[in-house]
Amino acid sequence: MTAPTRTASRAERNPAVRALARVGLATIGLLHILIGGIALAIAFGGTGDADQSGALQAIVAVPGGLFVVWLAVAGLVVLALWQILVAVTVQGAGKRLTELGKCVVYAFLAGVAASIALGGGHDASSSEKTMSARLLALPGGVFVLAIIGLAIVAGGIVFLRNGITHRFERDLRLPPNALAGVTTTLGRVGYIAKGIALILVGGLVVAGAVTYDPQKAGGLDGSLKALVGLPFGPVLLALIAIGLIAYGVFWLVRSVAARL
């Protein structure tokens, strides 16, 4: 075992690091529950931003919410660092890239949460539309945007496959009890719902590239709201929302019960 690997292993075993990593896992669960709740409200005629920034702003609005968001920032930062530790200790280039990809996602969420906690706000949908517009203005930008959209679709297909085939259970280290069965069921529903949501997001990004219309590439919030205008769209949106809530509960249970 090399010196960096030994250092990473010691850090992984640190109780404080493990506790904050669990806070990060719980934060991901809470965000998905709130996003699903906002999406469910939109399906029944309500309003709100069904994305990470909308969920975090909802937390800040309640008493004590600012403390919760700062705790979430700390947890997400540690969780991002945790993925680096895991990347150092796992075997195989593919697994390392996967763990580093998770690190980037968690670090991004930590940045969004910190921005909102500082009062700056963060409109994810507008930011994504602005980025799309800038890409379309560049030579070859339409191809870059289309590739990004296809990559999001591919990610959605992976989530969908993992939910249908139960593949996500390979890395789910839960003690063998009744709770494990409930958790895996929540995970299956949640993975399928998130997969569908990501496919919708990626599809709209590709549509924005093909039509040179950055307004179509509005992220998760815009993609979910676009369903409302479709035949049976509110029903589909409600089902996806329930699935996202199940995915959030799955992460909450995992944050408490799963072995890290």
Side-chain angles (χ1 to χ4, degrees):
M1 183 181 291
T2 64
T5 302
R6 286 195 299 270
T7 301
S9 296
R10 284 196 297 270
E12 279 185 315
R13 293 193 295 269
N14 184 285
V17 171
R18 296 172 77 87
L20 281 173
R22 290 187 185 278
V23 170
L25 294 174
T27 298
I28 295 170
L30 179 60
L31 289 179
H32 279 89
I33 290 171
L34 290 173
I35 291 170
I38 295 169
L40 193 60
I42 292 171
F44 288 97
T47 59
D49 294 326
D51 55 20
Q52 294 91 343
S53 61
L56 288 163
Q57 286 164 354
I59 296 173
V60 171
V62 302
L66 186 60
F67 170 78
V68 173
V69 172
W70 276 119
L71 184 61
V73 172
L76 288 167
V77 168
V78 171
L79 192 56
L81 295 174
W82 177 275
Q83 297 306 145
I84 295 176
L85 297 176
V86 175
V88 172
T89 56
V90 297
Q91 300 295 322
K95 290 184 177 180
R96 288 194 181 100
L97 286 174
T98 299
E99 300 304 330
L100 290 175
K102 293 178 184 178
C103 171
V104 172
V105 172
Y106 299 150
F108 171 77
L109 288 175
V112 173
S115 174
I116 290 174
L118 291 169
H122 184 92
D123 189 336
S125 181
S126 295
S127 298
E128 286 156 0
K129 289 177 181 177
T130 301
M131 183 187 73
S132 299
R134 289 175 179 171
L135 278 175
L136 289 175
L138 296 174
V142 60
F143 297 106
V144 175
L145 188 60
I147 290 171
I148 291 172
L150 290 173
I152 296 172
V153 170
I157 292 172
V158 170
F159 268 87
L160 197 59
R161 180 201 64 187
N162 288 348
I164 293 172
T165 64
H166 311 170
R167 193 166 181 171
F168 71 94
E169 295 178 29
R170 294 180 182 180
D171 299 322
L172 185 60
R173 299 190 292 177
L174 288 170
N177 53 32
L179 184 62
V182 175
T183 304
T184 52
T185 299
L186 289 169
R188 292 167 195 166
V189 173
Y191 267 83
I192 291 171
K194 180 148 187 177
I196 294 171
L198 288 175
I199 290 170
L200 288 172
V201 173
L204 286 179
V205 171
V206 172
V210 172
T211 61
Y212 290 86
D213 184 2
Q215 294 300 314
K216 291 183 178 179
L220 180 59
D221 177 61
S223 301
L224 294 178
K225 287 178 178 175
L227 290 174
V228 176
L230 300 177
F232 303 104
V235 175
L236 178 57
L237 177 56
L239 291 174
I240 292 174
I242 293 170
L244 290 174
I245 292 171
Y247 187 69
V249 176
F250 161 76
W251 275 86
L252 283 179
V253 175
R254 184 180 179 185
S255 71
V256 176
R259 295 188 298 273
L260 295 177

